[in-house]
Amino acid sequence: MRIVIQRVRHASVTVDNQDVSAIGQGLLVLVGVENGDTPADAEWLAAKTVALRIFDDTDGVMNRSVLDIGGEVLAVSQFTLTASTRKGNRPSYIRAARGEEANTLYEAYCQLVADRIGRPVGRGIFGADMQVSLLNDGPVTIIIDSRLRE
């Protein structure tokens, strides 16, 4: 699984001109699921997401997590994170997990994060054409791949 975490002042998802989910200060997480990903990948990424110290402490040092600040999380499925651009200029999505498998791991990730922060995680609509709005704070953007475990 690959995720892109953005520290945000606020973020929201719209589908067909209807607001689906919105958060205030916290994390917008784009979630891509690849073939071969497992619940262990979702577990590892959820733990990393919640513990990642990318919010400022009183000294202005990134030393606090979303849990520490009582922040919110909005997770949006995004199969394009699995893109390979190795050949030519048209991305290949052959590594992307198929719908049901991807949705199961995406939902598992969301629930694991929600359990850790003690509040619901905002979600997009899996497989929908979504419009995502955000105000990136910093900007702070982190990419994490569960296969690299960095």
Side-chain angles (χ1 to χ4, degrees):
M1 292 177 72
R2 290 182 182 167
I3 60 174
V4 174
I5 296 176
Q6 298 183 13
R7 184 178 78 180
V8 298
R9 299 264 175 110
H10 57 81
S12 63
V13 176
T14 303
V15 176
D16 295 329
N17 295 317
Q18 298 292 322
D19 293 335
V20 172
S21 190
I23 64 166
Q25 183 183 26
L27 301 174
L28 169 65
V29 184
L30 306 175
V31 182
V33 181
E34 292 183 306
N35 290 320
D37 288 337
T38 69
D41 292 300
E43 176 76 33
W44 184 82
L45 285 171
K48 194 69 137 169
T49 299
V50 172
L52 198 62
R53 298 184 326 182
I54 59 173
F55 292 91
D56 291 349
D57 62 16
T58 55
D59 295 324
V61 177
M62 287 195 288
N63 203 25
R64 300 182 76 207
S65 69
V66 69
L67 185 58
D68 294 333
I69 67 156
E72 298 178 276
V73 177
L74 172 58
V76 177
S77 63
Q78 188 171 351
F79 79 94
T80 59
L81 290 180
T82 69
S84 172
T85 57
R86 186 165 282 168
K87 294 181 180 179
N89 294 319
R90 184 173 183 203
S92 168
Y93 304 105
I94 194 132
R95 296 188 309 212
R98 298 293 172 236
E100 187 175 320
E101 176 188 356
N103 190 31
T104 298
L105 286 175
Y106 162 71
E107 289 294 336
Y109 169 82
C110 291
Q111 189 58 54
L112 289 161
V113 171
D115 292 346
R116 282 173 168 75
I117 64 172
R119 65 185 338 162
V121 167
R123 291 171 168 86
I125 297 177
F126 187 86
D129 181 16
M130 296 176 272
Q131 289 69 54
V132 180
S133 298
L134 68 135
L135 179 58
N136 194 320
D137 184 18
V140 174
T141 303
I142 310 285
I143 301 169
I144 305 174
D145 189 319
S146 65
R147 294 182 185 190
L148 300 177
R149 302 278 167 134
E150 297 182 319

